[in-house]
Amino acid sequence: MQSSRRRALLVSVVLSAVATILGRSAVAGGGTGSDGADSSAALRVARLYQEAAEVARQYGTGRREAEKQRARARRDERLLIRERRRNAALHRRRGDPGLIAPAQYHQSGAPPYVARTLLPDATLKLMRGQHSLAGADRAGANAVAGIHLVEDRLAADLAEASAQSRRLQKRNAELADRNRTVQAKLEEARQILQRQADAAAATGSCRGAVHLGGPPQRTARAWNAPVESYRLSAPFGSGGDHWAHRHTGQDFAVPIGTPVRAVGAGKVVRVACGGAFGMEVVLQHPGGYFTQYAHLAAVTVGQGELVATGQWIAQSGTTGNSTGPHLHFEVRVTPEWGSGIDPVPWLTARGVRL
């Protein structure tokens, strides 16, 4: 009898161990469970977000380069018009006495010394006039040739600047098309991620950390803003129907899936789901302060993890008591709600101007 019980207990332990191993393998391999699907959506949003940022960067660079080329073409065109006018004026003035004086100066118009001592004055006067006219004609011809060279160079520069401008405009049009495609894919991925985040928040069961696997965020600063591109919305202390008393943080209006960064180095002391804040992360920083990041769509760090300034710790969303995509950011003197202080002057005092 005891032997049978021991065998039953042993079988139960073995089955439990196998189930545990299989479960861990499925999670580690990104299996077909809900965590695997959520992780895939978060990763897709992160990749598309980075691709969209890179396309936007290339497009901005291309636009600036195209504007430089257009400015260069406009400058060359103005210079070419000016040189052509000078050339036309010089052609009209080839017999103008005003050109003779400089020609005489440069061409040494006086007859040789022997001629001046032996020939009569009338002959010398005639020679001087002929020499001066010949010198003026040579000077005029040289000036015309020089202006033609300038015209040719400016015309070549104008053609190259115009061709480069057209190439850049074509490249920018291609980037604009690519950006529209990426943005459409990103919006679709954002909606999938948010639906999964809402489902997790509704059950109050947080998913595991989604490690995005992107490049490490490096910064020489001790503190930074929680998101890079944003619009400040509801400020600290403002009133509204969505808060029992006053707004306890600063809102940053950003699209779903925007990378959320640790404002400073610290330790993850809370990862939670459900309730008014939806999915949230709380960090503890040296000096006794805590920061909260709420209404998230995904969390990329785990409980007890140490994080660096600027490290991606989450993706923004609109879980919990939220009317639209944004990051709710708080600075607290304890990890708990109700101990918040105004985040804006707190960040300003640390060199972060919003």
Side-chain angles (χ1 to χ4, degrees), residues 90 107 137-147:
L90 188 59
Q107 300 294 334
D137 190 62
R138 285 195 300 273
N142 289 337
V144 170
I147 290 178

Side-chain angles (χ1 to χ4, degrees), residues 201-239:
T203 61
S205 58
C206 281
R207 298 163 286 170
V210 178
H211 296 289
L212 300 180
Q217 304 299 302
R218 301 186 184 279
T219 177
R221 302 181 60 180
W223 303 92
N224 55 217
V227 285
E228 290 185 346
S229 299
Y230 56 84
R231 177 180 59 83
L232 293 177
S233 48
F236 178 82
S238 58

Side-chain angles (χ1 to χ4, degrees), residues 85-224:
R85 287 174 178 170
R86 287 180 59 189
N87 194 6
L90 188 59
H91 275 295
R92 290 194 299 269
R93 296 172 57 200
R94 284 289 294 275
D96 194 324
L99 292 177
I100 296 176
Q104 286 177 322
Y105 177 79
H106 291 293
Q107 300 294 334
S108 300
Y113 173 76
V114 174
R116 282 192 283 113
T117 57
L118 298 178
L119 295 177
D121 291 340
T123 304
L124 286 173
K125 184 176 181 181
L126 178 62
M127 286 181 65
R128 287 192 186 97
Q130 290 174 339
H131 192 85
S132 297
L133 289 174
D137 190 62
R138 285 195 300 273
N142 289 337
V144 170
I147 290 178
H148 278 308
L149 288 175
V150 173
E151 282 186 18
D152 291 343
R153 178 180 61 80
L154 288 174
D157 286 348
L158 176 59
E160 174 58 27
S162 299
Q164 180 68 6
S165 179
R166 287 192 296 271
R167 288 193 292 270
L168 287 169
Q169 288 174 353
K170 180 181 178 182
R171 172 62 174 159
N172 286 342
E174 293 171 352
L175 286 171
D177 289 340
R178 182 182 168 194
N179 182 60
R180 283 189 289 270
T181 301
V182 173
Q183 288 295 337
K185 293 180 179 178
L186 179 56
E187 183 57 30
E188 180 183 2
R190 281 169 170 162
Q191 296 305 317
I192 294 172
L193 176 63
Q194 185 59 48
R195 285 197 296 270
Q196 294 175 350
D198 288 337
T203 61
S205 58
C206 281
R207 298 163 286 170
V210 178
H211 296 289
L212 300 180
Q217 304 299 302
R218 301 186 184 279
T219 177
R221 302 181 60 180
W223 303 92
N224 55 217

Side-chain angles (χ1 to χ4, degrees), residues 222-223 264-267 283-290 306-307 309 346 350:
W223 303 92
K267 180 181 180 181
L283 303 182
Q284 181 179 12
H285 304 280
Y289 288 100
F290 299 81
L306 297 178
V307 298
T309 303
W346 187 86
R350 286 155 180 78

